[in-house]
Amino acid sequence: EAGVAQSPRYKIIEKRQSVAFWCNPISGHATLYWYQQILGQGPKLLIQFQNNGVVDDSQLPKDRFSAERLKGVDSTLKIQPAKLEDSAVYLCASSLVTGQKGHEQYFGPGTRLTVT
Amino acid sequence: AQSVTQPDIHITVSEGASLELRCNYSYGATPYLFWYVQSPGQGLQLLLKYFSGDTLVQGIKGFEAEFKRSQSSFNLRKPSVHWSDAAEYFCAVGGGYNKLIFGAGTRLAVHP
Protein backbone atom coordinates (compact mmCIF):
# COMPACT_ATOMS: atom_id res chain seq x y z
CA GLU A 1 0.00 0.00 0.00
CA ALA A 2 1.45 3.34 -1.00
CA GLY A 3 1.97 5.91 1.74
CA VAL A 4 1.18 9.60 1.86
CA ALA A 5 2.99 11.42 -0.94
CA GLN A 6 4.18 15.02 -0.73
CA SER A 7 6.02 17.33 -3.08
CA PRO A 8 8.30 19.12 -3.25
CA ARG A 9 10.54 17.80 -0.47
CA TYR A 10 12.45 21.06 -0.15
CA LYS A 11 11.72 24.64 -1.13
CA ILE A 12 13.65 27.85 -0.65
CA ILE A 13 11.92 31.16 -1.38
CA GLU A 14 12.34 34.81 -0.53
CA LYS A 15 9.93 36.57 1.79
CA ARG A 16 6.84 37.95 0.11
CA GLN A 17 6.98 35.24 -2.57
CA SER A 18 4.31 32.57 -2.87
CA VAL A 19 4.69 28.80 -2.59
CA ALA A 20 2.44 25.75 -2.94
CA PHE A 21 2.72 22.26 -1.51
CA TRP A 22 0.96 19.15 -2.79
CA CYS A 23 -0.24 16.07 -0.92
CA ASN A 24 -1.76 12.80 -2.06
CA PRO A 25 -3.18 10.75 0.84
CA ILE A 26 -3.40 7.00 1.25
CA SER A 27 -6.09 5.57 -1.00
CA GLY A 28 -9.42 5.34 0.81
CA HIS A 29 -8.50 7.79 3.55
CA ALA A 30 -11.26 10.37 3.71
CA THR A 31 -9.59 12.67 6.21
CA LEU A 32 -6.56 14.77 5.31
CA TYR A 33 -4.52 17.02 7.59
CA TRP A 34 -1.90 19.70 7.07
CA TYR A 35 0.51 20.35 9.94
CA GLN A 36 3.21 22.96 10.45
CA GLN A 37 6.29 21.79 12.36
CA ILE A 38 8.65 24.58 13.40
CA LEU A 39 12.16 23.51 14.38
CA GLY A 40 12.21 22.24 17.96
CA GLN A 41 8.44 21.95 18.24
CA GLY A 42 5.79 19.32 17.72
CA PRO A 43 3.49 19.41 14.70
CA LYS A 44 0.66 21.93 14.88
CA LEU A 45 -2.54 21.31 12.94
CA LEU A 46 -3.26 23.95 10.31
CA ILE A 47 -6.29 22.49 8.58
CA GLN A 48 -8.29 19.26 8.50
CA PHE A 49 -10.46 18.07 5.61
CA GLN A 50 -13.03 15.32 5.58
CA ASN A 51 -13.55 14.42 1.94
CA ASN A 52 -13.56 17.88 0.31
CA GLY A 53 -15.04 19.77 3.28
CA VAL A 54 -13.12 21.66 5.97
CA VAL A 55 -13.53 20.24 9.49
CA ASP A 56 -11.12 22.51 11.36
CA ASP A 57 -9.10 25.47 10.13
CA SER A 58 -8.99 27.40 13.38
CA GLN A 59 -5.19 27.60 13.42
CA LEU A 60 -4.72 28.46 9.75
CA PRO A 61 -3.48 32.06 9.22
CA LYS A 62 -6.12 32.80 6.64
CA ASP A 63 -4.64 36.14 5.60
CA ARG A 64 -1.78 34.31 3.91
CA PHE A 65 -2.46 30.56 3.96
CA SER A 66 -5.04 28.73 1.90
CA ALA A 67 -5.76 25.08 1.24
CA GLU A 68 -8.07 23.12 -0.97
CA ARG A 69 -9.08 19.53 -1.59
CA LEU A 70 -11.39 19.91 -4.54
CA LYS A 71 -12.12 16.28 -5.45
CA GLY A 72 -11.76 14.84 -1.98
CA VAL A 73 -8.45 13.18 -2.79
CA ASP A 74 -5.27 15.20 -3.16
CA SER A 75 -4.76 18.60 -1.60
CA THR A 76 -2.75 21.79 -2.07
CA LEU A 77 -1.56 24.18 0.64
CA LYS A 78 -0.52 27.66 -0.45
CA ILE A 79 1.28 30.50 1.28
CA GLN A 80 1.05 33.97 -0.24
CA PRO A 81 2.97 36.07 0.68
CA ALA A 82 5.49 34.12 2.74
CA LYS A 83 7.09 35.52 5.89
CA LEU A 84 10.34 34.53 7.56
CA GLU A 85 8.40 32.86 10.38
CA ASP A 86 6.79 30.46 7.88
CA SER A 87 10.09 28.55 7.68
CA ALA A 88 9.11 25.08 8.87
CA VAL A 89 8.36 21.55 7.75
CA TYR A 90 4.86 21.14 6.36
CA LEU A 91 3.50 17.69 7.00
CA CYS A 92 0.51 16.09 5.37
CA ALA A 93 -1.28 13.19 7.04
CA SER A 94 -4.34 11.10 6.32
CA SER A 95 -6.65 8.78 8.22
CA LEU A 96 -9.82 6.79 7.91
CA VAL A 97 -12.89 8.77 8.83
CA THR A 98 -14.63 6.61 11.37
CA GLY A 99 -14.12 5.48 14.94
CA GLN A 100 -10.83 4.89 16.66
CA LYS A 101 -9.09 4.30 13.36
CA GLY A 102 -9.79 7.92 12.56
CA HIS A 103 -7.18 8.93 15.10
CA GLU A 104 -4.46 6.81 13.50
CA GLN A 105 -2.85 9.31 11.22
CA TYR A 106 -0.28 8.37 8.60
CA PHE A 107 2.24 11.03 7.70
CA GLY A 108 4.06 11.92 4.54
CA PRO A 109 7.77 12.82 4.49
CA GLY A 110 7.04 16.55 4.67
CA THR A 111 8.16 19.62 2.75
CA ARG A 112 10.93 21.67 4.32
CA LEU A 113 10.34 25.35 3.55
CA THR A 114 13.03 27.96 4.06
CA VAL A 115 12.05 31.60 3.69
CA THR A 116 15.00 33.98 3.29
CA ALA B 1 -7.74 22.65 27.09
CA GLN B 2 -6.05 19.54 25.83
CA SER B 3 -2.26 19.55 26.03
CA VAL B 4 0.74 17.26 26.10
CA THR B 5 3.97 17.82 28.00
CA GLN B 6 7.21 16.01 27.29
CA PRO B 7 9.51 17.16 30.10
CA ASP B 8 12.76 15.98 28.53
CA ILE B 9 13.99 17.86 25.46
CA HIS B 10 17.10 15.70 24.97
CA ILE B 11 18.02 12.29 26.33
CA THR B 12 21.24 10.38 25.74
CA VAL B 13 21.58 6.69 26.48
CA SER B 14 24.18 4.05 25.76
CA GLU B 15 23.42 1.32 23.27
CA GLY B 16 21.93 -1.65 25.10
CA ALA B 17 20.68 0.44 28.00
CA SER B 18 17.01 0.75 28.90
CA LEU B 19 14.98 3.79 27.92
CA GLU B 20 12.01 5.65 29.33
CA LEU B 21 10.57 8.78 27.70
CA ARG B 22 8.05 10.72 29.73
CA CYS B 23 4.72 12.08 28.57
CA ASN B 24 2.02 13.84 30.58
CA TYR B 25 -1.31 14.88 29.14
CA SER B 26 -4.23 17.07 30.03
CA TYR B 27 -7.60 15.88 28.79
CA GLY B 28 -11.05 15.90 30.31
CA ALA B 29 -12.25 12.47 29.23
CA THR B 30 -10.63 9.10 28.68
CA PRO B 31 -7.84 9.95 26.26
CA TYR B 32 -6.65 8.29 23.12
CA LEU B 33 -2.85 8.37 23.36
CA PHE B 34 -0.13 7.89 20.79
CA TRP B 35 3.62 7.78 20.39
CA TYR B 36 5.21 8.72 17.06
CA VAL B 37 8.86 8.61 16.00
CA GLN B 38 10.49 10.94 13.50
CA SER B 39 13.87 10.14 11.99
CA PRO B 40 15.86 12.99 10.39
CA GLY B 41 14.25 14.16 7.16
CA GLN B 42 11.34 11.80 7.57
CA GLY B 43 7.70 12.06 8.44
CA LEU B 44 6.22 10.69 11.64
CA GLN B 45 5.74 6.97 12.10
CA LEU B 46 3.21 5.57 14.55
CA LEU B 47 4.93 3.48 17.24
CA LEU B 48 1.93 2.55 19.36
CA LYS B 49 -1.50 3.67 20.48
CA TYR B 50 -3.82 3.39 23.45
CA PHE B 51 -7.60 3.56 23.13
CA SER B 52 -8.89 1.53 26.06
CA GLY B 53 -8.43 -1.74 27.93
CA ASP B 54 -5.03 -3.07 28.96
CA THR B 55 -2.96 -0.15 30.16
CA LEU B 56 0.31 -1.65 28.90
CA VAL B 57 0.45 -1.48 25.13
CA GLN B 58 3.00 -2.99 22.80
CA GLY B 59 4.19 -1.29 19.67
CA ILE B 60 6.60 -1.74 16.83
CA LYS B 61 10.40 -1.92 17.13
CA GLY B 62 10.22 -3.39 20.67
CA PHE B 63 8.63 -0.32 22.27
CA GLU B 64 5.91 -0.37 24.91
CA ALA B 65 4.02 2.29 26.82
CA GLU B 66 1.97 2.31 29.99
CA PHE B 67 -1.11 4.43 30.55
CA LYS B 68 -1.46 5.63 34.14
CA ARG B 69 -4.67 7.56 34.63
CA SER B 70 -3.82 8.63 38.19
CA GLN B 71 -0.63 10.29 36.96
CA SER B 72 -1.99 11.49 33.59
CA SER B 73 1.01 9.83 32.03
CA PHE B 74 1.80 7.65 29.04
CA ASN B 75 5.51 6.90 29.24
CA LEU B 76 7.35 5.10 26.46
CA ARG B 77 9.83 2.35 27.32
CA LYS B 78 12.29 0.04 25.63
CA PRO B 79 14.40 -2.52 27.53
CA SER B 80 17.45 -2.33 25.28
CA VAL B 81 18.13 0.58 22.94
CA HIS B 82 19.74 0.13 19.51
CA TRP B 83 21.75 2.80 17.69
CA SER B 84 18.99 2.93 15.06
CA ASP B 85 16.55 4.19 17.72
CA ALA B 86 18.20 7.63 17.66
CA ALA B 87 15.41 9.95 16.54
CA GLU B 88 12.83 12.38 17.86
CA TYR B 89 9.85 10.99 19.72
CA PHE B 90 6.48 12.68 19.97
CA CYS B 91 3.63 11.91 22.33
CA ALA B 92 0.13 12.93 21.24
CA VAL B 93 -3.39 12.94 22.62
CA GLY B 94 -6.45 12.51 20.44
CA GLY B 95 -9.03 15.26 20.57
CA GLY B 96 -12.34 15.90 18.88
CA TYR B 97 -12.83 15.20 15.16
CA ASN B 98 -9.82 12.86 15.16
CA LYS B 99 -7.53 15.78 15.97
CA LEU B 100 -4.06 15.06 17.44
CA ILE B 101 -2.35 17.40 19.89
CA PHE B 102 1.39 16.81 20.01
CA GLY B 103 4.00 17.45 22.63
CA ALA B 104 7.20 19.30 21.77
CA GLY B 105 9.15 16.08 21.38
CA THR B 106 12.15 14.38 22.98
CA ARG B 107 15.32 13.97 20.96
CA LEU B 108 17.08 10.68 21.69
CA ALA B 109 20.79 10.22 21.13
CA VAL B 110 22.38 6.77 21.44
CA HIS B 111 26.05 6.38 22.35
CA PRO B 112 27.89 3.27 21.09
Side-chain angles (χ1 to χ4, degrees), chain A residues 9 31 33 35 37 40-43 45 48 55-56 58-59 91 95-109 112, chain B residues 9 27 32 34 36 38 40-46 49 51-52 88 90 93-105 107:
Chain A
R9 291 294 311 275
T31 308
Y33 313 79
Y35 289 87
Q37 186 179 19
Q41 299 181 19
L45 180 69
Q48 176 182 346
V55 174
D56 184 351
S58 58
Q59 302 225 66
L91 295 165
S95 70
L96 293 169
V97 69
T98 56
Q100 294 176 345
K101 286 289 185 182
H103 277 94
E104 291 185 38
Q105 296 182 19
Y106 295 85
F107 285 79
R112 182 175 298 277
Chain B
I9 298 174
Y27 190 71
Y32 294 166
F34 306 82
Y36 283 84
Q38 185 176 37
Q42 303 296 313
L44 280 74
Q45 181 184 21
L46 180 64
K49 56 190 180 284
F51 292 129
S52 63
E88 189 146 24
F90 292 93
V93 64
Y97 296 112
N98 300 339
K99 186 176 181 176
L100 288 180
I101 297 101
F102 286 88
R107 183 170 298 278

Side-chain angles (χ1 to χ4, degrees), chain A residues 6 8-12 21 37-39 86-91 109-115, chain B residues 38-42:
Chain A
Q6 289 188 249
R9 291 294 311 275
Y10 305 92
K11 190 74 176 178
I12 301 173
F21 313 127
Q37 186 179 19
I38 293 173
L39 187 65
D86 298 331
S87 294
V89 175
Y90 291 85
L91 295 165
T111 297
R112 182 175 298 277
L113 174 67
T114 302
V115 182
Chain B
Q38 185 176 37
S39 298
Q42 303 296 313

Side-chain angles (χ1 to χ4, degrees), chain B residues 34-94:
Chain B
F34 306 82
W35 275 99
Y36 283 84
V37 61
Q38 185 176 37
S39 298
Q42 303 296 313
L44 280 74
Q45 181 184 21
L46 180 64
L47 280 178
L48 50 76
K49 56 190 180 284
Y50 171 78
F51 292 129
S52 63
D54 193 347
T55 56
L56 185 63
V57 294
Q58 303 297 321
I60 62 171
K61 303 185 181 186
F63 285 92
E64 66 178 27
E66 186 171 13
F67 169 56
K68 293 186 177 179
R69 184 187 301 275
S70 62
Q71 299 177 18
S72 297
S73 70
F74 188 57
N75 294 349
L76 182 71
R77 300 195 294 249
K78 187 169 185 178
S80 177
V81 171
H82 188 263
W83 64 266
S84 60
D85 293 324
E88 189 146 24
Y89 292 80
F90 292 93
C91 181
V93 64

